[in-house]
Amino acid sequence: AQSVTQPDIHITVSEGASLELRCNYSYGATPYLFWYVQSPGQGLQLLLKYFSGDTLVQGIKGFEAEFKRSQSSFNLRKPSVHWSDAAEYFCAVGAVTYKYIFGTGTRLKVLA
Amino acid sequence: DVKVTQSSRYLVKRTGEKVFLECVQDMDHENMFWYRQDPGLGLRLIYFSYDVKMKEKGDIPEGYSVSREKKERFSLILESASTNQTSMYLCASSRQALDEQFFGPGTRLTVL
């Protein structure tokens, strides 16, 4: 069955530290992969997406993600976290036509 | 600036009431979606529509119906609200299947 796993429910980092949020997926074909961010009380905003080509993709707000087919992973990274990055992050797979599978989210807390 | 708007940010209803949640997008997108978001469960697809008057069930359609009479508007209907439908409801739209989704700010519905 198709699935997306975000193993970390909560992550706390200090401002200025690097960040990596994990995402693993289970899907038979080449997936369409997304990372979204949700600030408190808001809808989701796209950070970046991978459809094909270069496996390292750059997104907004200084985020990047790397698609690793052998590990079925699409981890999100940022070299230096800002306090405004505190939010909930969702990984998603575009699966059967029109349908997306979302992970359960990782809530990021940033310490000053 | 592209936009998906939802009719209410907060809504309180009583058990058994009929509830309408409205979503409007101004991007001329073909596809529209309704999700519910619950802590620890991520986003779960209720219904989606890939064209006017067309609708497809998502993963959790029970207790819900939808209407899409115009391209820009997608309504979610709770025929008889129940307490287990207390949740955050998110509307989204996309131009093509499996493309980036644009989300509204969400409606937090409480059923008493």
Side-chain angles (χ1 to χ4, degrees), chain B residues 79-98:
Chain B
E79 296 290 341
S80 178
S82 63
T83 55
N84 63 13
Q85 292 178 309
T86 291
S87 186
M88 170 71 88
Y89 290 87
L90 293 170
C91 175
S93 70
S94 71
R95 184 169 303 281
Q96 298 177 0
L98 301 182

Side-chain angles (χ1 to χ4, degrees), chain A residues 96-99, chain B residues 31-34 45-51 53-61 64-68 74 76:
Chain A
V96 178
T97 304
Y98 302 109
K99 294 188 72 172
Chain B
N31 312 306
M32 297 188 75
F33 307 80
W34 275 106
L45 181 65
I46 305 172
Y47 269 96
F48 67 94
S49 169
Y50 53 88
D51 200 353
K53 298 190 185 293
M54 305 302 289
K55 60 185 179 184
E56 292 284 344
K57 293 180 180 179
D59 300 316
I60 52 165
Y64 304 94
S65 62
V66 291
S67 173
R68 194 167 180 201
F74 192 36
L76 179 69

Side-chain angles (χ1 to χ4, degrees), chain A residues 14 17-18 31-32 39 55-56 66 76 79 98 107:
Chain A
S14 296
S18 64
Y32 289 61
S39 299
T55 56
L56 183 65
E66 186 171 11
L76 183 72
Y98 302 109
R107 188 171 297 278

Side-chain angles (χ1 to χ4, degrees), chain A residues 80-98:
Chain A
S80 177
V81 170
H82 188 263
W83 64 266
S84 60
D85 294 324
E88 190 158 22
Y89 293 79
F90 291 91
C91 180
V93 169
V96 178
T97 304
Y98 302 109

Side-chain angles (χ1 to χ4, degrees), chain A residues 5-63:
Chain A
T5 301
Q6 293 181 246
D8 303 305
I9 298 173
H10 294 98
I11 282 186
T12 300
V13 299
S14 296
E15 191 170 20
S18 64
L19 172 70
E20 182 169 34
L21 303 182
R22 295 183 290 165
C23 173
N24 293 95
Y25 66 89
S26 172
Y27 185 64
T30 299
Y32 289 61
L33 295 162
F34 307 85
W35 273 101
Y36 289 87
V37 61
Q38 185 180 35
S39 299
Q42 302 296 317
L44 278 68
Q45 179 186 20
L46 182 74
L47 285 175
L48 47 80
K49 59 187 178 184
Y50 172 78
F51 288 173
S52 64
D54 192 347
T55 56
L56 183 65
V57 293
Q58 302 297 321
I60 63 171
K61 304 185 181 188
F63 285 92

Side-chain angles (χ1 to χ4, degrees), chain A residues 38 41-44, chain B residues 3-11 20-25 32-37 72-74 76 87-93 102-109:
Chain A
Q38 185 180 35
Q42 302 296 317
L44 278 68
Chain B
K3 190 172 283 188
V4 178
T5 57
Q6 295 184 229
S7 50
S8 304
R9 293 299 303 271
Y10 300 93
L11 209 53
F20 292 87
L21 302 182
E22 303 284 339
C23 175
V24 178
Q25 51 97 0
M32 297 188 75
F33 307 80
W34 275 106
Y35 295 90
R36 67 176 280 176
Q37 181 181 13
E72 67 272 16
R73 189 180 297 270
F74 192 36
L76 179 69
S87 186
M88 170 71 88
Y89 290 87
L90 293 170
C91 175
S93 70
F102 293 84
F103 284 84
T107 295
R108 185 164 294 283
L109 173 67

